[in-house]
Amino acid sequence: MKTKEELSSEQAAYWNGPGGDGWLAAYERIQRSIGDIGDMGLAAAAPQRGEYAIDIGCGTGGTTAALAHGVGIGGHVLGVDISETLIEAARSHRLENASFVVGDAATHPFKAHAHDLVFSRFGVMFFADPVAAFRNIHRALKPTGRLVFIAWRTPQENPWGTVPARAAQPFLPPMPRPGPDDPGQFSFGDRARVERILGEAGFHRLRIEPIDRQIWMGASIADVLASAGRFGPLARAFAGAEPAAIDKAKQAIAEALAPHEGPDGVRLPGACWLVEANAS
Ligand SMILES: C[S@@+](CC[C@H](N)C(=O)[O-])C[C@H]1O[C@@H](n2cnc3c(N)ncnc32)[C@H](O)[C@@H]1O
């Protein structure tokens, strides 16, 4: 079993390497896939004029910009991300009332009891020690502060993630299979686990609502295949495979996606939690 330090440095290496590069390269497509889910999170967060907010795992800063618009020039948003590549992209927004920092949200020394809102769109599932990380986040909030984040549910409820990977798997080197408590895309799938983590970290009045959506994967199967392997578990597996094996894997992905192709592109079911909690 890997130690928390090993898991944590694996995540940092991934998001400062292929994870960050892939996310940036595919961002336009990603935004089309998850933009509406993020908007539901932002609507629940309802940033108010003059508020102080943090965007955890802010990536390229799209949601930070939306929060900054909400809090206005009397407020401020801090975007924090472990990936230098993504923070560099986020800084290009040149927002008057937001700043960006490269840091691990689990340990970053946020100004204590100083923030009204902590928000995240898919940026909180990668902590090696989630209770410790959320304690750090909790400490950043004022007693009246609130937490709002979006996280994926289980792999079984997210065929957009599992169908291509399962089809490609027989032709590729083994893909990582994170344990139920390991960091990863689907690590917040178990509602009871999310409740336990947030409760132990000091949060109160949890509201956890499901969001179910068809996830747009690309304009056509050819379009999906053109970017397959740019990020996620497939990227790691493609990186270690021979070109002939990648061709076979792509052929298998195309066959698996065929039933999901329609006039407006390839769409598969996706499932998230919208999580809200209060600091006290
Ligand atoms: C799935 S991406 C989401 C990015 C962004 N929130 C968005 O929706 O476009 C996950 C992000 O979390 C960041 N991340 C992972 N672990 C982190 C940590 N411990 N502290 C801060 N950011 C982290 C990654 O670098 C990446 O940008």
Side-chain angles (χ1 to χ4, degrees):
M1 214 173 91
K2 291 178 186 163
T3 65
K4 289 198 186 339
E5 290 69 29
E6 282 168 336
L7 290 168
S8 192
S9 42
E10 253 181 32
Q11 288 296 324
Y14 175 67
W15 290 108
N16 279 289
D21 293 345
W23 190 265
L24 187 57
Y27 187 69
E28 220 172 289
R29 173 185 302 267
I30 290 170
Q31 180 57 16
R32 182 156 175 199
S33 304
I34 62 169
D36 61 337
I37 298 173
D39 288 347
M40 292 179 76
L42 288 166
Q48 303 294 306
R49 299 267 141 197
E51 284 193 326
Y52 280 67
I54 300 174
D55 189 358
I56 301 281
C58 63
T60 58
T63 51
T64 320
L67 293 168
H69 181 73
V71 302
I73 46 162
H76 184 267
V77 188
L78 174 66
V80 56
D81 201 287
I82 206 162
S83 165
E84 285 190 31
T85 316
L86 296 178
I87 285 292
E88 200 182 309
R91 287 194 174 124
S92 67
H93 286 284
R94 303 199 182 288
L95 300 164
E96 228 182 301
N97 60 343
S99 48
F100 292 98
V101 61
V102 176
D104 186 334
T107 52
H108 184 76
F110 297 113
K111 191 164 180 215
H113 315 303
H115 299 86
D116 303 284
L117 168 66
V118 170
F119 175 82
S120 183
R121 182 179 81 170
F122 299 119
V124 295
M125 303 93 82
F126 308 100
F127 302 132
D129 184 343
V131 172
F134 274 98
R135 274 196 192 127
N136 190 46
I137 289 167
H138 182 269
R139 189 170 165 273
L141 281 169
K142 296 175 184 173
T144 52
R146 63 199 187 280
L147 168 73
V148 178
F149 69 80
I150 301 273
W152 295 112
R153 301 209 310 264
T154 61
Q156 295 75 18
E157 294 165 286
N158 281 290
W160 70 267
T162 51
V163 165
R166 206 169 287 144
Q169 179 70 92
F171 308 100
L172 298 174
M175 289 180 227
R177 282 177 170 268
D181 284 319
D182 288 347
Q185 198 174 25
F186 298 116
S187 68
F188 273 28
D190 177 2
R191 181 191 189 116
R193 180 169 186 262
V194 177
E195 287 171 347
R196 181 184 60 74
I197 290 168
L198 295 183
E200 284 183 23
F203 284 94
H204 296 267
R205 291 188 283 153
L206 271 51
R207 281 93 65 205
I208 305 182
E209 295 296 329
I211 299 177
D212 292 274
R213 280 278 178 289
Q214 291 291 314
I215 305 292
W216 182 85
M217 310 273 293
S220 62
I221 288 179
D223 186 32
V224 178
L225 291 182
S227 68
R230 276 220 201 127
F231 62 97
L234 274 179
R236 300 182 209 206
F238 274 30
E242 297 295 324
I246 293 177
D247 286 348
K248 283 187 191 154
K250 285 191 170 181
Q251 180 58 37
I253 294 172
E255 283 163 22
L257 291 181
H260 305 281
E261 190 178 28
D264 61 345
V266 180
R267 289 175 189 271
L268 277 91
C272 310
W273 296 125
L274 167 59
V275 179
E276 297 178 71
N278 293 83
S280 60

